Amino acid sequence: MNDVIDLKADGKIAVISVNSPPVNALSQNVREGLREAITKALADPKAEAIVVRCDGRTFIAGADIREMGRPRKPPGLKDFQSLMDGAKKPIVAAVHGTALGGGLEFAMMCHYRIAVPSARCGLPEVNIGILPGGGGTQALPRIVGVERALEMMTTGRHVPAKEAQALGIFDELAEEGKLDEAAIAYANRIIAEKRPIKRVRDLTDKVEAARKNPELIANFRKANARKLRNMKAPENIIKCVEAAMSLPFDDGLKRETELSQELHAGPQAPAMRHSFFAEREAAKIPDVPDATPMIPVETVGIIGAGTMGGGIAMNFANVGIPVKIVETRQEALDRGLSVIRKNYERTAQRGGITQDDVEKRMKLISGSLDMAALKDVDLVIEAVFERMDVKKEVFAKLDAIVKPGAILATNTSGLNIDEIASATKRPEAVIGLHFFSPANVMKLLEVVRADRTSKEVIATSMKLAKKIGKVAALVGVCPGFVGNRILRQRQLEAQKLVLEGAMPWDVDRVLYEFGFPMGPFAMSDLAGLDIGWVKENSKGETLRDVLCEMDRRGQKTGAGYYDYDENRTAKPSPVTEKIIKDFMAKKGVNGRKITDEEILERCLFPMINEGVQILADKKAIRASDIDVIWQHGYGFPIYRGGLMYYGDQLGPEKVLAKMKEFQATMGDQFKPSPLLEKIVAEGKKFADIRPGA
């Protein structure tokens, strides 16, 4: 044994304990100690069964993140598979907390599994671009069946204990808080009843049944094609499951190893590993220490019951925080509360929550027409019309009403928060909490620090973001902050490309094939072309003006850049094409053939350049924060690692050369950031940039 593994006897039961804080990860030290302890217990004539349990808050929670991307020293998980398969004594895994990745693979190698009701399990390797390479792709289909195994492994979903028991992952559930005694009692019962040693390799019924349905795998690929497109890990997981259906267990393990190694050697796993660590890094604020005092947030007020206000309210009700929504008109308030209820009921119909959950959450959300109802809340979030005079008026009123010490937040997507804060006598309490639409779904939260925002308010906002299930990134005040400031560069180029010869569907197709969920024109149609458009001020000077004047305002009117059928399926529009050609003729532009490569470079390289300038302006803390923002707020493909990571893979020197080339032929809108030129001259990467570098 070693310092993280303990072996003791409890009558006929050998009890092996893992104690490797904080999450009992499968480090080399843990693996070595476990192998030694299991080997010793199997050789002990007094021990008739073995229980493997863990100290602390969780069972083995997965691999050691410090070993990610590095060759692992033995023993590996497949060494444990051989050890367990050769065992003559039953081995029981006692699970609490989370058994994830290698932790669940280890548990499935054990012959029996018992868990507490609060436990969760899963194989989330797909989220970092790899597959469960410790036998999981061969074990899980044999335990839960092929269809459920495919769903679990391609989503990485964490499965609650009761569901896991119904699926066959857990054999029994113990009373909460009494796992150890229950596991030992269970092991004694297995001995007394002379139950057989249940080896996963021998569980063939479910994979044999799946063989009789030859369309099963093809149907799964078809049903999930859009969701899993371009991603290597889900496809290799599917191939592993095909092997589990058609090959003997040992041959399936070999196939799993081949397909796992292929992923580790490819570009997507390092990119997704970068994304994993980037999320963790984004939570670290250099000048806001971990010990910074937090402001208790037990009640929240929201100004505005529209789409954003209602969505924001749901985030807090979801975690049990009471919310008061203030509107100016009863009709608007009633409509907002009705939309919230419909959203919850839709989730309940899909099985995401129960009807009881719907009622509990709705009881946490109340409405008022009087801003004075917010006088005692701990946090107020303003979600009103995006106009400076309106927001300043709201904040001046809040300043006079809300109790001292409360946080005053604005959901603005790009207005100057310092100016908003100037309407109050407590600018240190003012911060930006920029939720993305739909706010109850989108994971990103841009936390915007103004010049005088206090560290306590920043620390509280970052922690609160995590509590409500958001991925937060701290940014500074500038037009559009980080996300929308970069988005503007892409939108400008997309619009220019369609007046040079590319059609909107050409631009959208290139960006969709790159990995975005949709292109800029499809996105505009979805949001509505008339957002921010005022008919009285329209002069028909832009493509959007003309489309809106024709009442082609996007999906909601059945036409925008695209034409839509009754199912909102998009088709390239001859009307839009003619409008574009008329614009080009007026400007004397002869359309040219624009390659997919040029479309991609003209859309992405100015975005990367703007990201560099944002870092130079000290509006983002690190390049990886920009990656987090663009992945979780704008759909940048996670398997490419993020905007700035992608730029590093291309090479900053290539980005600079292409920007200079575009500048020479198309003008100074492509002028490279001085910091881009500096880091190329110094042979650095975007990841090396720190504010003020």
Side-chain angles (χ1 to χ4, degrees):
M1 266 48 66
N2 56 29
D3 59 337
V4 295
I5 304 294
D6 180 57
L7 173 61
K8 289 182 179 174
D10 190 311
K12 298 176 183 179
I13 313 302
V15 180
I16 298 171
S17 297
V18 181
N19 184 13
S20 182
V23 292
N24 295 314
L26 275 172
S27 63
Q28 187 194 2
N29 204 23
V30 168
R31 297 194 303 274
E32 285 179 343
L34 271 174
R35 180 174 63 176
E36 183 184 349
I38 293 170
T39 303
K40 188 171 180 179
L42 289 172
D44 183 357
K46 296 177 184 175
E48 296 184 31
I50 300 167
V51 168
V52 181
R53 60 169 299 280
C54 294
D55 289 331
R57 66 175 189 261
T58 183
F59 188 72
I60 298 166
D64 186 344
I65 60 173
R66 294 169 297 184
E67 295 182 2
M68 283 186 182
R70 302 176 186 172
R72 289 189 187 176
K73 296 178 182 178
L77 274 171
K78 282 174 179 159
D79 296 319
F80 285 97
Q81 186 72 62
S82 300
L83 187 61
M84 306 284 201
D85 285 348
K88 306 296 185 191
K89 302 172 184 178
I91 302 173
V92 178
V95 178
H96 72 295
T98 51
L100 301 174
L104 179 56
E105 287 179 304
F106 177 86
M108 290 191 293
M109 294 172 195
C110 295
H111 311 127
Y112 294 91
R113 293 163 292 280
I114 184 171
V116 289
S118 60
R120 300 175 79 85
C121 65
L123 295 172
E125 286 86 349
V126 69
N127 295 323
I128 51 172
I130 59 176
L131 56 78
T137 67
Q138 303 307 295
L140 194 64
R142 284 170 163 80
I143 293 172
V144 306
V146 166
E147 289 177 282
R148 296 307 297 269
L150 283 168
E151 181 268 328
M152 280 181 61
M153 290 190 286
T154 57
T155 63
R157 183 170 69 91
H158 295 191
V159 179
K162 288 183 181 178
E163 181 185 348
Q165 183 189 25
L167 290 171
I169 298 173
F170 297 143
D171 298 290
E172 287 210 2
L173 294 185
E175 186 179 338
E176 203 71 54
K178 295 185 178 180
L179 179 61
D180 288 349
E181 48 263 57
I184 291 166
Y186 184 43
N188 277 311
R189 200 159 73 247
I190 290 168
I191 296 167
E193 295 172 2
K194 297 182 180 178
R195 294 192 196 179
I197 292 174
K198 197 169 59 171
R199 297 179 179 88
V200 72
R201 67 167 57 243
D202 299 329
L203 305 177
T204 57
D205 290 357
K206 291 181 179 177
V207 288
E208 286 173 359
R211 276 182 219 144
K212 297 173 185 175
N213 182 3
E215 300 299 311
L216 192 154
I217 296 290
N219 289 342
F220 183 84
R221 280 195 174 102
K222 185 177 179 181
N224 293 277
R226 186 178 179 92
K227 184 171 65 176
L228 304 180
R229 68 192 173 94
N230 300 347
M231 298 181 73
K232 301 294 185 186
E235 176 55 29
N236 280 20
I237 287 169
I238 294 169
K239 289 176 180 176
C240 285
V241 174
E242 286 181 303
M245 291 169 61
S246 60
L247 299 176
F249 189 72
D250 289 324
D251 291 342
L253 290 177
K254 289 176 185 174
R255 181 67 173 142
E256 178 189 85
T257 297
E258 291 167 4
L259 291 165
S260 177
Q261 289 172 344
E262 181 183 291
L263 293 175
H264 281 283
Q268 292 193 2
M272 294 177 73
R273 195 161 56 242
H274 165 80
S275 299
F276 175 84
F277 286 112
E279 271 192 44
R280 291 178 166 227
E281 195 70 12
K284 300 173 184 174
I285 314 302
D287 66 330
V288 180
D290 291 343
T292 302
M294 298 289 167
I295 298 165
V297 177
E298 296 175 359
T299 53
V300 172
I302 294 172
I303 311 288
T307 302
M308 283 304 297
I312 293 169
M314 291 175 71
N315 288 291
F316 293 97
N318 292 348
V319 296
I321 297 176
V323 183
K324 295 179 181 179
I325 303 178
V326 171
E327 254 295 351
T328 55
R329 294 177 298 114
Q330 188 66 47
E331 179 190 0
L333 182 59
D334 292 343
R335 184 169 58 246
L337 293 172
S338 174
V339 169
I340 292 171
R341 176 174 282 279
K342 285 176 184 173
N343 285 339
Y344 278 139
E345 288 181 340
R346 199 158 39 239
T347 304
Q349 286 165 7
R350 293 196 302 262
I353 58 176
T354 66
Q355 189 60 40
D356 188 44
D357 291 330
V358 174
E359 299 308 323
K360 282 180 182 175
R361 294 177 190 190
M362 287 306 300
K363 284 179 182 175
L364 288 168
I365 302 172
S366 59
S368 176
L369 301 180
D370 185 358
M371 203 179 282
L374 305 180
K375 63 186 178 66
D376 292 322
V377 300
D378 303 308
L379 163 68
V380 180
I381 302 172
E382 162 274 309
V384 301
F385 191 68
E386 190 76 346
R387 217 172 71 188
M388 181 59 77
D389 59 335
V390 175
K391 292 187 183 287
K392 287 177 76 172
E393 182 182 349
V394 166
F395 271 77
K397 289 178 180 177
L398 287 174
D399 191 41
I401 292 169
V402 178
K403 70 181 182 182
I407 299 171
L408 306 182
T410 172
N411 181 54
T412 178
S413 58
L415 294 178
N416 188 325
I417 298 176
D418 290 311
E419 186 176 346
I420 293 172
S422 73
T424 76
K425 296 183 177 67
R426 40 174 146 177
E428 72 285 348
V430 177
I431 195 165
L433 295 179
H434 178 207
F435 289 81
F436 284 65
S437 186
N440 54 307
V441 175
M442 295 294 286
K443 285 189 71 176
L444 179 66
L445 181 63
E446 269 187 320
V447 178
V448 192
R449 77 187 295 174
D451 283 346
R452 295 177 64 183
T453 307
S454 75
K455 292 181 180 180
E456 290 80 6
V457 168
I458 294 168
T460 302
S461 298
M462 296 295 289
K463 183 178 181 182
L464 192 60
K466 185 175 182 180
K467 182 173 182 176
I468 62 173
K470 301 300 182 188
V471 176
L474 187 70
V475 302
V477 174
C478 57
F481 309 136
V482 169
N484 284 340
R485 177 171 161 180
I486 291 172
L487 178 65
R488 184 173 181 272
Q489 298 301 314
R490 191 182 80 176
Q491 301 302 86
L492 287 172
E493 283 311 304
Q495 292 290 340
K496 285 191 286 185
L497 282 162
V498 299
L499 296 178
E500 294 173 25
M503 287 293 118
W505 30 95
D506 296 326
V507 177
D508 282 354
R509 174 183 52 77
V510 169
L511 289 170
Y512 179 79
E513 288 174 356
F514 178 78
F516 282 99
M518 62 180 64
F521 297 100
M523 186 174 75
S524 294
D525 271 2
L526 177 63
L529 300 189
D530 54 345
I531 292 178
W533 178 79
V534 181
K535 184 176 182 178
E536 291 74 22
N537 298 338
S538 182
K539 299 176 182 176
E541 294 175 345
T542 67
L543 178 56
R544 185 180 81 151
D545 281 348
V546 174
L547 291 170
C548 285
E549 286 169 5
M550 296 172 67
D551 205 33
R552 295 178 62 94
R553 304 188 184 198
Q555 286 191 20
K556 61 189 175 185
T557 58
Y561 289 107
Y562 293 84
D563 292 334
Y564 295 90
D565 63 18
E566 63 278 4
N567 298 315
R568 293 199 175 192
T569 302
K571 294 182 295 184
S573 171
V575 175
T576 302
E577 186 168 353
K578 182 179 185 305
I579 295 169
I580 290 169
K581 288 180 176 176
D582 288 346
F583 261 101
M584 292 168 69
K586 283 181 187 175
K587 292 176 180 285
V589 175
N590 293 318
R592 62 185 176 87
K593 174 68 177 173
I594 300 178
T595 66
D596 289 359
E597 182 181 27
E598 181 182 344
I599 289 172
L600 190 63
E601 289 176 343
R602 284 201 32 204
C603 285
L604 292 185
F605 285 20
M607 294 167 63
I608 296 169
N609 183 61
E610 192 69 19
V612 174
Q613 190 55 45
I614 283 168
L615 291 165
D617 294 342
K618 304 181 183 180
K619 301 305 180 185
I621 295 172
R622 49 187 82 85
S624 61
D625 286 7
I626 297 174
D627 293 337
V628 168
I629 289 167
W630 262 80
Q631 281 178 348
H632 292 293
Y634 300 86
F636 195 95
I638 192 167
Y639 56 81
R640 295 191 187 275
L643 180 67
M644 306 309 289
Y645 178 92
Y646 175 71
D648 269 337
Q649 301 315 296
L650 293 173
E653 64 284 352
K654 179 177 179 178
V655 177
L656 176 61
K658 188 60 69 170
M659 290 295 290
K660 285 185 171 180
E661 178 189 320
F662 288 151
Q663 184 185 19
T665 56
M666 286 179 270
D668 281 348
Q669 71 267 30
F670 290 99
K671 185 177 181 180
S673 164
L675 182 55
L676 174 56
E677 301 201 72
K678 182 173 184 278
I679 64 166
V680 170
E682 294 174 353
K684 292 182 178 178
K685 288 183 166 286
F686 299 130
D688 298 324
I689 302 174
R690 289 293 183 269

